Amino acid sequence: MGGASTKLAACHVSPVFLRAQDTTEKAISFIKEAAKNNAKLVVFPESFIPAFPIWSALKAPTEKEHHFFFHNMVSESVYIDGEEINAIRAIAKKLNVIVSIGVSEKVRYSNATLFNSNILIGDDGEILVHHRKLMPTFYEKLTWAPGDGHGLQVVETRVGKIGVLICGENTNPLARYSLAAQGEQIHISTWPAIWPTRLTKVQDDSKVQDKSPVKEPPDRSNFLDNIFGSNYDNVAANRTRAAAHCFEAKCFGIMCAGHLSADVMEWLAELRTPEINSETLKLWPRGATMFLDTTGALLPGFTINRETSAKKKCDFLQEEEGILYAEIDLSDCVEGKQYHDIAGGYQRFDVFELKVDRRRREPASFTDE
């Protein structure tokens, strides 16, 4: 038996690079557009405000550019109670929509400690979940500190029970299970626009990698060369992880990746790393935004023309900036749990036990007279 459908919106967008206030204003414009099109949940990518620290993949930590960009990242990162988040909360309340947005968060007890955070804001403007990425991945450790378990929460909303994980922590089976064990129905996973792991043999990637998220997987006959001689195929890996969680938890998936704008592409090329130029940049696989159903399969999406309001079928967004929409029916979360409800009837609680510490970590505990 089917139930009422709900419209979701995933914003495949670029930040105004390292400009928090301008990026916040851009986010608000996209929230307004999605709300006008009757979306009830609006999702933005990883570290959307103010940017993803892509420079850490391209320049050595000791190079002056790296210090320059980190300084700017600290300056433009946002406080959880700052004006940027407050503006997002206000528009969510005004338009009666739920908003999930990735930010680089700074804290008042340090002038340089940052967290890769995701904020889930309710349609009443209240913060429902404040999640800090458990462990920054690879070169992200040059920018962000490890988070804690406080954000491993699933909250019940009018669109369903929502949980969020950021990028690589979707690889962590215990983190994913902790959300499934709370009855998660909608899983949000956020991703960067691009995530290079190698600066060499980029041109070879076009021969061995399939950059589309919906085509057949690439030929792995020359496995070692493909894996260790080319860039990490983040699109395929992202979809694999998100799909596995949807299948295991029997939940819907929103994969929301950032977009790489032309001006940022020009900036990357201007870093003048020998292996980087405008042509090789185009060959790196971009992140893709898409929806997944409760079996892990691709959920058909669509875009809506800003001028005519006409719908156009679109399974994913990758090269173009925009908003991808999908309709879901939460009753679809039921049938698969007849087969294996991993946090219920298909679990052996007498064999396995998971304990999750959700206390927010602070640098010190003070006692005053």
Side-chain angles (χ1 to χ4, degrees):
M1 296 179 62
S5 64
T6 301
K7 184 181 290 184
L8 311 178
C11 299
H12 188 73
V13 289
S14 301
V16 183
F17 197 74
L18 286 177
R19 289 162 61 182
Q21 184 175 354
D22 291 340
T23 303
T24 300
E25 292 175 1
K26 182 172 183 177
I28 289 173
S29 71
F30 274 82
I31 293 169
K32 289 179 177 178
E33 179 180 344
K36 180 181 177 182
N37 291 321
N38 300 313
K40 304 304 180 186
L41 170 61
V42 186
V43 180
F44 289 89
E46 176 182 15
S47 194
F48 180 60
I49 303 174
F52 184 83
I54 185 65
W55 57 86
S56 292
L58 308 179
K59 305 295 287 186
T62 53
E63 295 186 63
K64 63 180 181 180
E65 294 92 344
H66 199 282
H67 303 306
F68 170 80
F69 284 111
F70 179 74
H71 191 281
N72 278 271
M73 186 70 158
V74 170
S75 176
E76 293 298 314
S77 292
V78 300
Y79 292 113
I80 195 68
D81 59 351
E83 59 180 306
E84 295 85 2
I85 299 300
N86 286 339
I88 301 294
R89 293 176 62 182
I91 197 66
K93 181 177 181 179
K94 179 179 179 180
L95 300 179
N96 196 33
V97 295
I98 302 167
V99 176
S100 171
I101 189 163
V103 302
S104 179
E105 178 196 355
K106 55 186 174 183
V107 291
R108 300 193 185 278
Y109 59 74
S110 171
N111 63 0
T113 290
L114 304 177
F115 294 98
N116 183 349
S117 299
N118 194 92
I119 314 301
L120 184 64
I121 300 168
D123 50 22
D124 59 357
E126 295 301 311
I127 294 177
L128 303 178
V129 179
H130 171 199
H131 177 55
R132 292 172 175 168
K133 188 174 182 181
L134 294 168
M135 179 56 67
T137 310
F138 196 20
Y139 44 75
E140 294 173 7
K141 295 180 179 70
L142 295 170
T143 300
W144 291 308
D148 54 36
H150 183 71
L152 294 177
Q153 302 182 46
V154 170
V155 291
E156 189 155 6
T157 72
R158 64 182 174 127
V159 305
K161 297 178 179 179
I162 304 174
V164 181
L165 290 176
I166 303 168
C167 193
E169 61 187 359
N170 286 277
T171 313
N172 188 324
L174 299 182
R176 293 193 294 107
Y177 178 81
S178 72
L179 299 184
Q182 298 172 70
E184 187 182 36
Q185 295 170 305
I186 300 172
H187 180 70
I188 298 172
S189 60
T190 60
W191 313 87
I194 193 168
W195 203 72
T197 56
R198 282 179 175 267
L199 298 181
T200 57
K201 297 188 178 181
V202 178
Q203 295 190 25
D204 292 340
D205 291 355
S206 62
K207 300 177 182 179
V208 301
Q209 289 187 354
D210 182 348
K211 296 187 286 295
S212 167
V214 295
K215 294 179 181 179
E216 292 297 317
D219 178 15
R220 298 298 186 186
S221 57
N222 195 2
F223 180 80
L224 291 179
D225 283 347
N226 288 346
I227 297 301
F228 297 109
S230 62
N231 257 295
Y232 182 81
D233 190 347
N234 62 308
V235 174
N238 296 354
R239 185 178 175 186
T240 297
R241 289 177 279 190
H245 183 67
C246 290
F247 175 79
E248 291 169 359
K250 314 306 178 192
C251 65
F252 289 97
I254 305 174
M255 291 179 58
C256 188
H259 178 260
L260 205 61
S261 60
D263 60 333
V264 175
M265 289 279 283
E266 292 176 5
W267 165 78
L268 290 174
E270 288 174 1
L271 284 180
R272 305 198 183 282
T273 301
E275 296 87 350
I276 299 175
N277 57 53
S278 58
E279 294 304 313
T280 55
L281 282 174
K282 295 176 183 178
L283 297 175
W284 284 344
R286 306 286 188 88
T289 292
M290 68 188 83
F291 295 93
L292 302 172
D293 70 17
T294 58
T295 70
L298 191 69
L299 181 67
F302 56 91
T303 57
I304 300 177
N305 187 284
R306 291 177 176 174
E307 304 298 328
T308 66
S309 298
K311 292 184 180 181
K312 180 182 178 181
K313 181 181 177 182
C314 182
D315 288 335
F316 66 94
L317 290 176
Q318 188 174 29
E319 301 296 333
E320 300 295 328
E321 188 176 63
I323 303 177
L324 187 67
Y325 298 90
E327 301 270 358
I328 66 167
D329 182 345
L330 291 182
S331 65
D332 292 341
C333 298
V334 175
E335 181 179 336
K337 292 197 173 184
Q338 293 181 98
Y339 318 134
H340 17 67
D341 184 349
I342 63 168
Y346 205 66
Q347 182 56 275
R348 286 290 303 274
F349 301 112
D350 57 329
V351 178
F352 303 108
E353 182 179 15
L354 175 64
K355 294 182 179 180
V356 181
D357 186 344
R358 294 201 301 202
R359 289 175 293 174
R360 175 63 84 210
R361 299 297 182 179
E362 300 291 342
S365 176
F366 296 96
T367 302
D368 297 322
E369 293 181 357

